[in-house]
Amino acid sequence: MELGRELRAALRGGRQVAVFSGAGISAESGVPTFRDAQKGLWARFDPMELASPEGFERNPKRVWDWYAMRRQQLQQVQPNPGHYALARWERLRPGLKVVTQNVDGLHQRAGNSDVIELHGNISRVRCSLENVIVEQWEERPDEVPRCGQCAAYLRPDVVWFGELLPPEAYARAQEVMATADLVLVVGTSALVQPAAQLPYIALRAGAVVVEVNPEETPFSADATFSVRGPAGVVLPAMVEAIAD
Ligand code: OAD
């Protein structure tokens, strides 16, 4: 894929690089979106029943089983060339940071070492009362596993509808955006607040902000450069441009 001369120069000039990613970067890995995963016996449930504090209160077992199923689906997918390009980018520009809305852990599996997770991680589990991360638990056929300390139910360590973003992760993401000189906004519809504000923090701080998305988004017109194409094609071409 051909990148323009100005864009190549801007990419090469980036020293403090940050990435802001969304579901689109995992599309080529075949990670099912929430909606795609809602197949078969799950199709009849409103997303609020599967991914909200109220849904969990009403039927903890249903919510637990939904996440157990999605955790298993994730074991069958691999990072794609887009994720690997960002890992290579970090080797060329140490200190590169990834801020992601994804819960799939694919950036870490590809090799990025500093990943800020705004919506948690589906492979982690925490106590629903004390919020401490629990490393080991036993799956039971007819019961939601409980915290060994306080006996409250365990729950996935993800942000549900109606919940706030983890404040520390969001504060760190804001800081990363405010201090980067090059930001790549990859595979996000740029619609969900407050995360959608992050690219604007970078723009206001004077960073070059490059959007990578096959579709136009509400952010496209504001980006310094907006590149139309799939992350698995565009990001490898971009990292090649800074490597040569
Ligand atoms: P969305 O599903 O809203 O947007 C995905 C974006 O990826 C769209 O703009 C697509 O055009 C783009 N896209 C599709 N294929 C792509 C590819 N191969 N390469 C690059 N981009 C591609 O996902 P997010 O922006 O992540 O929140 O949505 C943010 C949050 O909304 C999600 O994390 C989720 C949802 O509600 C929670 O679950 C809390």
Side-chain angles (χ1 to χ4, degrees):
M1 150 168 225
E2 276 294 309
L3 304 174
R5 200 161 51 85
E6 275 180 50
L7 172 58
R8 285 206 318 274
L11 296 173
R12 259 202 288 266
R15 288 293 174 272
Q16 307 267 26
V17 184
V19 178
F20 176 47
S21 71
I25 194 166
S26 295
E28 291 155 88
S29 292
V31 174
T33 61
F34 195 95
R35 288 260 165 222
D36 287 343
Q38 259 193 295
K39 293 257 164 65
L41 76 162
W42 298 106
R44 63 199 160 101
F45 297 115
D46 185 284
M48 292 292 283
E49 294 302 321
L50 301 175
S52 75
E54 296 78 16
F56 187 61
E57 212 162 288
R58 272 195 288 274
N59 195 334
K61 180 68 176 148
R62 179 195 290 153
V63 174
W64 181 269
D65 287 348
W66 160 252
Y67 280 94
M69 185 274 288
R70 294 186 64 210
R71 218 173 276 132
Q72 266 187 340
Q73 282 179 339
L74 271 182
Q75 283 170 0
Q76 283 143 38
V77 304
Q78 303 298 330
N80 67 60
H83 295 105
Y84 287 119
L86 295 177
R88 184 174 175 212
W89 208 311
E90 181 181 332
R91 292 193 290 276
L92 295 166
R93 296 285 189 273
L96 176 145
K97 294 175 179 57
V98 178
V99 176
T100 189
Q101 300 167 88
N102 299 342
V103 296
D104 56 33
L106 289 177
H107 286 299
Q108 293 93 325
R109 281 174 57 192
N112 281 109
S113 64
D114 199 349
V115 180
I116 300 161
E117 294 175 321
L118 294 178
H119 291 164
N121 190 308
I122 214 165
S123 66
R124 280 195 310 262
V125 159
R126 68 174 200 248
C127 169
S128 60
L129 198 64
E130 300 159 321
N131 293 326
V132 281
I133 301 293
V134 173
E135 299 290 345
Q136 278 184 338
W137 68 90
E138 212 178 306
E139 293 287 347
R140 293 163 183 275
D142 40 44
E143 223 189 297
V144 174
R146 290 175 184 267
C147 171
Q149 299 299 317
C150 74
Y153 287 132
L154 299 182
R155 59 161 283 177
D157 187 29
V158 297
V159 176
W160 281 334
F161 297 116
E163 293 187 315
L164 298 175
L165 301 188
E168 271 170 41
Y170 191 64
R172 209 164 159 240
Q174 288 175 302
E175 161 83 18
V176 163
M177 292 294 141
T179 51
D181 58 11
L182 172 65
V183 174
L184 311 173
V185 178
V186 186
T188 175
S189 58
L191 281 173
V192 183
Q193 295 295 354
Q197 281 304 313
L198 292 172
Y200 290 95
I201 296 176
L203 279 178
R204 281 198 295 273
V208 170
V209 182
V210 182
E211 179 181 61
V212 178
N213 197 311
E215 310 282 340
E216 192 173 326
T217 76
F219 179 67
S220 301
D222 298 320
T224 321
F225 297 91
S226 189
V227 183
R228 292 275 156 277
V233 174
V234 176
L235 292 176
M238 284 183 167
V239 77
E240 203 53 51
I242 71 158
D244 65 18

